[in-house]
Amino acid sequence: MRVFVSGASGAIGARLVPQLIEHGHEVIGTYTASPEKADRLRALGAHAVRLDLLDADAVRRAVREAAPDAIIHEATALAGGGFSRSLDKTFAATNLLRTTGTDALLAAAQDAGVRRFVAQSFAPYRYAREGGMVKTEDDPLDASLLAGTRETFGAMTHVDTVVTQAGGIALRYGGFYGDASDQLPGAVRKGMFPIVGSGAGYMSFVHLEDAAAATVLALERGNPGIYNIVDDDPAPLSEWLPALAVALGARPPRHMPVWLARLVAGESGVRTATESRGASNAKAKGELGWTLRYPSWRQGFTAAYAAAAPAAQPHIPH
């Protein structure tokens, strides 16, 4: 297939493009303004196209000229960004790509007669904070959204809705890791990521290589709908955060009471740390035949970060 990949130069795109080519697909990858990104795409074996996804006319022209058989939408604007107490502030540019950008790509796909459409969505923190701790694609999303998060979660829901209504596939990825640009390791090394209260809130991760592999399978054999693309091991903050610190060679995370975390990170941060649900990958594994290189973050963190961890210093008795 000829596959048009938006965001092809990003963290997942850099893994996805080579895997698509390995499977025999021809890739047309988009980038924004950097010539280095274009060179990177060409080095990966893709045709590079400069494109502003927020310009609907330009998107329509680019898709028409590329004449692809399928579109994969992986564009975000998170590289180099920092953390903020407000998710909507942190994700503002990405939210536009997930709303306006998604709409532009879908319109262009319809105009060009492209029937296969796969888009990036997100699984963590979104499922209703009730019942079991691990959720399937059929479980309800959290309807009780807080100020500072509504635009972000609304943008994710927009992707899920418009893509599946158009007969496409929305991939609810877990938290990505495995790239040099990952921001979480830096925060953990600096001691800026504490265990809040009980730390009982669940998280689902996925290594970028595994996420890319699932995306190729979704393109080739997925049915229209939503898939959780996460590893086998959803786990509470109190379990995965200390393990990440060990993999990084960092100090153990400190503990922070809920009342203080509410002042520092806001109510949304407290909910995430203490009540969020994980996601099940049973559908993706069953329907796509997906086999993970890193079935758990337990192996994945070590593989991704241990080489960069500072060497342990020998203890010299006084």
Side-chain angles (χ1 to χ4, degrees), residues 1-315:
M1 280 187 277
R2 283 174 61 82
V3 186
F4 187 94
V5 181
S6 71
S9 62
I12 186 170
R15 277 83 179 170
L16 177 59
V17 169
Q19 292 193 37
L20 286 168
I21 292 171
E22 184 179 341
H23 278 239
H25 303 293
E26 183 180 359
V27 178
I28 303 94
T30 77
Y31 67 100
T32 49
S34 169
E36 292 78 13
K37 290 184 177 181
D39 293 340
R40 181 182 183 185
L41 284 174
R42 295 186 188 104
L44 292 174
H47 304 284
V49 175
R50 182 174 176 177
L51 182 63
D52 177 3
L53 286 180
L54 303 183
D55 184 337
D57 290 336
V59 172
R60 191 181 299 267
R61 288 193 301 270
V63 171
R64 189 179 296 163
E65 290 172 8
D69 302 298
I71 293 175
I72 301 179
H73 180 23
E74 297 284 2
T76 65
L78 298 174
F83 292 102
S84 168
R85 175 169 171 155
S86 168
L87 280 181
D88 291 346
K89 180 179 179 181
T90 300
F91 284 84
T94 294
N95 292 341
L96 282 174
L97 292 172
R98 287 177 170 160
T99 52
T100 304
T102 300
D103 291 347
L105 278 170
L106 283 171
Q110 183 177 16
D111 179 68
V114 180
R115 296 181 178 275
R116 202 76 174 147
F117 196 102
V118 180
Q120 177 183 147
S121 186
F122 193 63
Y125 318 139
R126 296 183 63 200
Y127 287 104
R129 295 168 291 108
E130 58 188 23
M133 298 304 292
V134 180
K135 302 298 187 179
T136 73
E137 296 85 349
D138 294 328
D139 284 311
L141 300 178
D142 193 348
S144 177
L145 301 180
L146 298 169
T149 70
R150 292 174 187 137
E151 292 178 7
T152 300
F153 289 118
M156 297 173 190
T157 300
H158 181 82
V159 172
D160 293 347
T161 301
V162 299
V163 168
T164 56
Q165 285 179 346
I169 297 171
L171 301 180
R172 288 181 180 165
Y173 294 113
F176 288 150
Y177 70 94
D179 189 78
S181 66
D182 292 346
Q183 297 176 44
L184 182 57
V188 173
R189 287 191 181 100
K190 294 176 183 177
M192 297 170 60
F193 203 121
I195 297 174
V196 174
S198 63
Y202 268 51
M203 178 67 178
S204 286
F205 289 99
V206 66
H207 192 285
L208 282 160
E209 293 288 350
D210 283 326
T215 305
V216 175
L217 292 172
L219 170 73
E220 295 176 341
R221 62 183 75 165
N223 295 313
I226 295 171
Y227 290 87
N228 289 331
I229 305 300
V230 298
D231 72 16
D232 296 345
D233 196 10
L237 174 68
S238 60
E239 193 170 334
W240 66 259
L241 184 55
L244 176 56
V246 169
L248 293 169
R251 292 182 178 180
R254 59 198 174 96
H255 289 255
M256 180 179 287
V258 167
W259 68 266
L260 180 56
R262 191 170 279 118
L263 295 175
V264 174
E267 185 62 33
S268 64
V270 170
R271 283 189 180 183
T272 295
T274 61
E275 300 180 41
S276 59
R277 267 46 178 176
S280 166
N281 64 13
K283 179 181 177 181
K285 291 175 71 176
E287 294 190 11
L288 304 179
W290 180 37
T291 301
L292 288 87
R293 179 181 302 184
Y294 301 105
S296 170
W297 48 268
R298 299 173 199 274
Q299 305 95 35
F301 284 171
T302 300
Y305 304 124
Q313 297 297 316
H315 175 68

